PDB file of all heavy atoms in Angstrom:
ATOM      1  N   ARG A1701      74.021 115.475 123.563  1.00  0.00           N
ATOM      2  CA  ARG A1701      73.000 116.433 123.984  1.00  0.00           C
ATOM      3  C   ARG A1701      71.560 115.918 123.687  1.00  0.00           C
ATOM      4  O   ARG A1701      70.715 116.073 124.615  1.00  0.00           O
ATOM      5  CB  ARG A1701      73.236 117.716 123.314  1.00  0.00           C
ATOM      6  CG  ARG A1701      74.469 118.523 123.747  1.00  0.00           C
ATOM      7  CD  ARG A1701      74.425 120.021 123.366  1.00  0.00           C
ATOM      8  NE  ARG A1701      74.383 120.069 121.840  1.00  0.00           N
ATOM      9  CZ  ARG A1701      75.622 120.246 121.168  1.00  0.00           C
ATOM     10  NH1 ARG A1701      76.717 120.340 121.881  1.00  0.00           N
ATOM     11  NH2 ARG A1701      75.593 120.357 119.871  1.00  0.00           N
ATOM     12  N   GLU A1702      71.333 115.339 122.612  1.00  0.00           N
ATOM     13  CA  GLU A1702      70.088 114.783 122.304  1.00  0.00           C
ATOM     14  C   GLU A1702      69.678 113.695 123.183  1.00  0.00           C
ATOM     15  O   GLU A1702      68.487 113.523 123.632  1.00  0.00           O
ATOM     16  CB  GLU A1702      70.013 114.369 120.816  1.00  0.00           C
ATOM     17  CG  GLU A1702      70.013 115.517 119.825  1.00  0.00           C
ATOM     18  CD  GLU A1702      70.036 114.981 118.438  1.00  0.00           C
ATOM     19  OE1 GLU A1702      69.968 113.743 118.246  1.00  0.00           O
ATOM     20  OE2 GLU A1702      69.986 115.810 117.427  1.00  0.00           O
ATOM     21  N   ALA A1703      70.645 112.855 123.539  1.00  0.00           N
ATOM     22  CA  ALA A1703      70.342 111.731 124.452  1.00  0.00           C
ATOM     23  C   ALA A1703      70.005 112.235 125.838  1.00  0.00           C
ATOM     24  O   ALA A1703      69.117 111.730 126.472  1.00  0.00           O
ATOM     25  CB  ALA A1703      71.542 110.789 124.493  1.00  0.00           C
ATOM     26  N   VAL A1704      70.716 113.207 126.385  1.00  0.00           N
ATOM     27  CA  VAL A1704      70.420 113.710 127.670  1.00  0.00           C
ATOM     28  C   VAL A1704      69.108 114.427 127.635  1.00  0.00           C
ATOM     29  O   VAL A1704      68.275 114.288 128.629  1.00  0.00           O
ATOM     30  CB  VAL A1704      71.579 114.763 128.059  1.00  0.00           C
ATOM     31  CG1 VAL A1704      71.184 115.433 129.353  1.00  0.00           C
ATOM     32  CG2 VAL A1704      72.881 114.020 128.288  1.00  0.00           C
ATOM     33  N   LYS A1705      68.767 115.185 126.610  1.00  0.00           N
ATOM     34  CA  LYS A1705      67.465 115.863 126.560  1.00  0.00           C
ATOM     35  C   LYS A1705      66.323 114.854 126.485  1.00  0.00           C
ATOM     36  O   LYS A1705      65.280 114.992 127.177  1.00  0.00           O
ATOM     37  CB  LYS A1705      67.478 116.751 125.346  1.00  0.00           C
ATOM     38  CG  LYS A1705      66.215 117.631 125.207  1.00  0.00           C
ATOM     39  CD  LYS A1705      66.248 118.526 124.002  1.00  0.00           C
ATOM     40  CE  LYS A1705      64.986 119.334 123.845  1.00  0.00           C
ATOM     41  NZ  LYS A1705      65.068 120.239 122.591  1.00  0.00           N
ATOM     42  N   ALA A1706      66.505 113.837 125.625  1.00  0.00           N
ATOM     43  CA  ALA A1706      65.404 112.792 125.558  1.00  0.00           C
ATOM     44  C   ALA A1706      65.225 112.053 126.818  1.00  0.00           C
ATOM     45  O   ALA A1706      64.097 111.571 127.188  1.00  0.00           O
ATOM     46  CB  ALA A1706      65.631 111.856 124.379  1.00  0.00           C
ATOM     47  N   ALA A1707      66.388 111.820 127.555  1.00  0.00           N
ATOM     48  CA  ALA A1707      66.215 110.945 128.755  1.00  0.00           C
ATOM     49  C   ALA A1707      65.689 111.746 130.018  1.00  0.00           C
ATOM     50  O   ALA A1707      65.095 111.190 130.951  1.00  0.00           O
ATOM     51  CB  ALA A1707      67.590 110.350 129.145  1.00  0.00           C
ATOM     52  N   SER A1708      65.923 113.168 130.014  1.00  0.00           N
ATOM     53  CA  SER A1708      65.576 113.826 131.224  1.00  0.00           C
ATOM     54  C   SER A1708      64.152 114.352 131.224  1.00  0.00           C
ATOM     55  O   SER A1708      63.454 114.370 132.178  1.00  0.00           O
ATOM     56  CB  SER A1708      66.543 115.065 131.391  1.00  0.00           C
ATOM     57  OG  SER A1708      66.418 115.925 130.236  1.00  0.00           O
ATOM     58  N   SER A1709      63.498 114.813 130.134  1.00  0.00           N
ATOM     59  CA  SER A1709      62.292 115.530 130.124  1.00  0.00           C
ATOM     60  C   SER A1709      61.171 114.508 130.529  1.00  0.00           C
ATOM     61  O   SER A1709      60.412 114.986 131.512  1.00  0.00           O
ATOM     62  CB  SER A1709      61.945 116.036 128.661  1.00  0.00           C
ATOM     63  OG  SER A1709      62.958 116.972 128.319  1.00  0.00           O
ATOM     64  N   PRO A1710      60.902 113.377 130.030  1.00  0.00           N
ATOM     65  CA  PRO A1710      59.701 112.584 130.503  1.00  0.00           C
ATOM     66  C   PRO A1710      59.906 112.186 131.906  1.00  0.00           C
ATOM     67  O   PRO A1710      58.922 112.057 132.620  1.00  0.00           O
ATOM     68  CB  PRO A1710      59.816 111.417 129.522  1.00  0.00           C
ATOM     69  CG  PRO A1710      60.641 111.845 128.397  1.00  0.00           C
ATOM     70  CD  PRO A1710      61.653 112.864 128.875  1.00  0.00           C
ATOM     71  N   GLU A1711      61.066 111.936 132.359  1.00  0.00           N
ATOM     72  CA  GLU A1711      61.241 111.434 133.735  1.00  0.00           C
ATOM     73  C   GLU A1711      60.995 112.500 134.748  1.00  0.00           C
ATOM     74  O   GLU A1711      60.440 112.164 135.819  1.00  0.00           O
ATOM     75  CB  GLU A1711      62.740 110.901 133.900  1.00  0.00           C
ATOM     76  CG  GLU A1711      62.937 109.629 133.075  1.00  0.00           C
ATOM     77  CD  GLU A1711      64.437 109.251 133.132  1.00  0.00           C
ATOM     78  OE1 GLU A1711      65.178 109.913 133.803  1.00  0.00           O
ATOM     79  OE2 GLU A1711      64.771 108.160 132.572  1.00  0.00           O
ATOM     80  N   GLU A1712      61.256 113.667 134.413  1.00  0.00           N
ATOM     81  CA  GLU A1712      60.882 114.868 135.336  1.00  0.00           C
ATOM     82  C   GLU A1712      59.315 114.924 135.574  1.00  0.00           C
ATOM     83  O   GLU A1712      58.805 115.133 136.643  1.00  0.00           O
ATOM     84  CB  GLU A1712      61.530 116.130 134.905  1.00  0.00           C
ATOM     85  CG  GLU A1712      63.001 116.199 135.068  1.00  0.00           C
ATOM     86  CD  GLU A1712      63.620 117.574 134.431  1.00  0.00           C
ATOM     87  OE1 GLU A1712      62.752 118.354 133.957  1.00  0.00           O
ATOM     88  OE2 GLU A1712      64.753 117.712 134.526  1.00  0.00           O
ATOM     89  N   GLY A1713      58.648 114.795 134.433  1.00  0.00           N
ATOM     90  CA  GLY A1713      57.209 114.886 134.487  1.00  0.00           C
ATOM     91  C   GLY A1713      56.658 113.676 135.412  1.00  0.00           C
ATOM     92  O   GLY A1713      55.708 113.856 136.123  1.00  0.00           O
ATOM     93  N   ARG A1714      57.173 112.480 135.106  1.00  0.00           N
ATOM     94  CA  ARG A1714      56.770 111.305 135.919  1.00  0.00           C
ATOM     95  C   ARG A1714      57.081 111.586 137.381  1.00  0.00           C
ATOM     96  O   ARG A1714      56.342 111.075 138.235  1.00  0.00           O
ATOM     97  CB  ARG A1714      57.436 110.133 135.362  1.00  0.00           C
ATOM     98  CG  ARG A1714      56.828 109.589 134.092  1.00  0.00           C
ATOM     99  CD  ARG A1714      57.303 108.209 133.749  1.00  0.00           C
ATOM    100  NE  ARG A1714      58.768 108.152 133.476  1.00  0.00           N
ATOM    101  CZ  ARG A1714      59.217 108.213 132.263  1.00  0.00           C
ATOM    102  NH1 ARG A1714      58.341 108.378 131.137  1.00  0.00           N
ATOM    103  NH2 ARG A1714      60.525 108.242 132.081  1.00  0.00           N
ATOM    104  N   GLY A1715      58.218 112.205 137.769  1.00  0.00           N
ATOM    105  CA  GLY A1715      58.551 112.409 139.198  1.00  0.00           C
ATOM    106  C   GLY A1715      57.433 113.308 139.871  1.00  0.00           C
ATOM    107  O   GLY A1715      57.042 113.041 141.038  1.00  0.00           O
ATOM    108  N   ARG A1716      57.001 114.372 139.177  1.00  0.00           N
ATOM    109  CA  ARG A1716      55.997 115.283 139.787  1.00  0.00           C
ATOM    110  C   ARG A1716      54.716 114.569 139.896  1.00  0.00           C
ATOM    111  O   ARG A1716      53.982 114.673 140.906  1.00  0.00           O
ATOM    112  CB  ARG A1716      55.835 116.546 138.924  1.00  0.00           C
ATOM    113  CG  ARG A1716      57.128 117.487 139.029  1.00  0.00           C
ATOM    114  CD  ARG A1716      56.801 118.761 138.339  1.00  0.00           C
ATOM    115  NE  ARG A1716      56.721 118.641 136.914  1.00  0.00           N
ATOM    116  CZ  ARG A1716      57.725 118.780 136.198  1.00  0.00           C
ATOM    117  NH1 ARG A1716      58.968 119.056 136.522  1.00  0.00           N
ATOM    118  NH2 ARG A1716      57.564 118.775 134.793  1.00  0.00           N
TER     119      ARG A1716
END
Side-chain angles (χ1 to χ4, degrees):
R1701 285 196 297 267
E1702 292 178 356
V1704 171
K1705 182 179 179 181
S1708 61
S1709 298
E1711 293 177 354
E1712 291 178 359
R1714 284 194 292 268
R1716 288 190 292 268

